[in-house]
Amino acid sequence: QVQLVESGGGLVQAGGSLRLSCAASGRTSSVYVMGWFRQAPGKEREFVAAISRGGGTTTYADSVKGRFTISRDNAKNTVYLQLNSLKPEDTAVYYCAADRSPSAYLERLWGNYDYGGQGTQVTVSS
């Protein structure tokens, strides 16, 4: 089993920045691709970004491309999401996810990940 704990959320004004962290524990050697998702009130959970095991390959949702950056530190078993130029529409609960599959494919579907965290709230005021 792998446990994921997100942190770093908060309240920020539009145009501001936040850095989210997701710490993994347990059988972390079995984790390959990691991703971030978000869910706003009344909306479905949506893909934000994903990163390969080595960190060399990333992919982003069009809505965050150029503003958000995903990275990971395997020595610390942690994945990060840097959120810049935040907009009110970025307000959501942000979740990280981990995939046990050794495939290099960067999944964009929450249901295809094996583990998920409890989420951290990001609120962007206008």
Side-chain angles (χ1 to χ4, degrees):
Q1 290 294 319
V2 173
Q3 294 79 42
L4 303 173
V5 179
E6 302 94 336
S7 62
L11 173 63
V12 63
Q13 289 188 334
S17 298
L18 284 174
R19 189 194 195 199
L20 307 184
S21 298
C22 172
S25 61
R27 295 189 61 185
T28 57
S29 61
S30 66
V31 171
Y32 287 80
V33 171
M34 296 193 74
W36 284 96
F37 292 77
R38 66 185 182 185
Q39 188 167 17
K43 295 187 177 181
E44 293 187 354
R45 193 167 302 188
E46 65 175 359
F47 171 78
V48 175
I51 188 168
S52 61
R53 181 166 184 166
T57 305
T58 58
T59 187
Y60 298 90
D62 288 343
S63 59
V64 307
K65 199 173 295 183
R67 300 188 298 121
F68 293 6
T69 302
I70 188 171
S71 61
R72 67 192 293 172
D73 184 338
N74 289 334
K76 296 182 178 180
N77 295 316
T78 300
V79 63
Y80 304 97
L81 187 66
Q82 178 69 40
L83 290 66
N84 296 331
S85 302
L86 282 161
K87 306 175 181 179
E89 51 264 42
D90 294 319
T91 295
V93 178
Y94 283 71
Y95 301 88
C96 73
D99 189 352
R100 290 182 305 180
S101 170
S103 168
Y105 181 70
L106 302 184
E107 282 288 350
R108 291 178 170 237
L109 295 178
W110 174 261
N112 287 348
Y113 283 81
D114 296 293
Y115 306 102
Q118 294 301 306
T120 184
Q121 176 71 47
V122 171
T123 303
V124 184
S125 63
S126 58

